Amino acid sequence: MDVIPEILKNVIEDISSLPGYGEKSAQRFAVNLLKMPRKDAINIIKDLSLMLEKIHPCKECGIFSEEEICPICNSEERDKSIICVVEESFDAFAIEKTGKYNGLYHILGGRLSPLEGITEEDLNISSLLQRVEKLKIKEILLATNPTVEGEATALYIANLLKNKDITISRLAYGLPFGAILENADEFTLTKAIELKVKI
Ligand SMILES: [Zn+2]
């Protein structure tokens, strides 16, 4: 007998439609919410709803921001001749935390992954090329994750830019291969920025 309430089924179906969430993790999420004090659980949902209302990718660099143009793109203090290219906003947030980088960012929104069917059209690559022209960029720091796919993505972009008069560098390997940038500790990430290598 199927006695799972319809509402619960819908929630689990909704959550498991998110990339990276299977049915089991969706069930766990729903059960944990239901077991919390209702007030706290409703707070989480309110925050989620506010996030969806207020947070959008910056129109210039794609970083998640409350403003149409993020504080970094808007700042007079940043070096607007260099762009650090990352996979996701949280990679940029991690680099920002080190305080060692003062240029702009560009959020790709993922990395090339033939296995998952993610191609260059799925990433913010054409907007990167447009910004390079528009802002007369002198240096590109490729800070995709040091994974096979992150490397392939960095090489792909380096290739697109190779005939332009731009210095292209890659984060140095203080980072363990296979690491995810947003999880790297601050010291390692600081070193990786300081010791960036030309490619
Ligand atoms: Zn921005």
Side-chain angles (χ1 to χ4, degrees), residues 58-63 69-74 105 131:
C58 164
K59 286 227 160 98
E60 295 288 329
C61 70
I63 203 168
I69 305 292
C70 76
I72 294 170
C73 290
N74 235 339
Y105 289 96
R131 288 180 82 205

Side-chain angles (χ1 to χ4, degrees), residues 75-128:
S75 166
E76 295 293 319
E77 253 103 82
R78 310 287 298 206
D79 179 351
K80 296 198 172 152
S81 68
I82 172 167
I83 292 180
C84 174
V85 177
V86 293
E87 293 179 23
E88 301 288 356
S89 287
F90 277 88
D91 300 327
F93 297 153
I95 292 172
E96 271 307 281
K97 256 197 184 158
T98 68
K100 293 286 173 191
Y101 176 74
N102 190 42
L104 301 172
Y105 289 96
H106 193 84
I107 316 296
L108 292 172
R111 68 268 177 283
L112 294 174
S113 171
L115 283 177
E116 292 166 60
I118 301 172
T119 66
E120 52 277 15
E121 280 98 68
D122 299 308
L123 304 178
N124 302 321
I125 290 178
S126 57
S127 57
L128 172 65

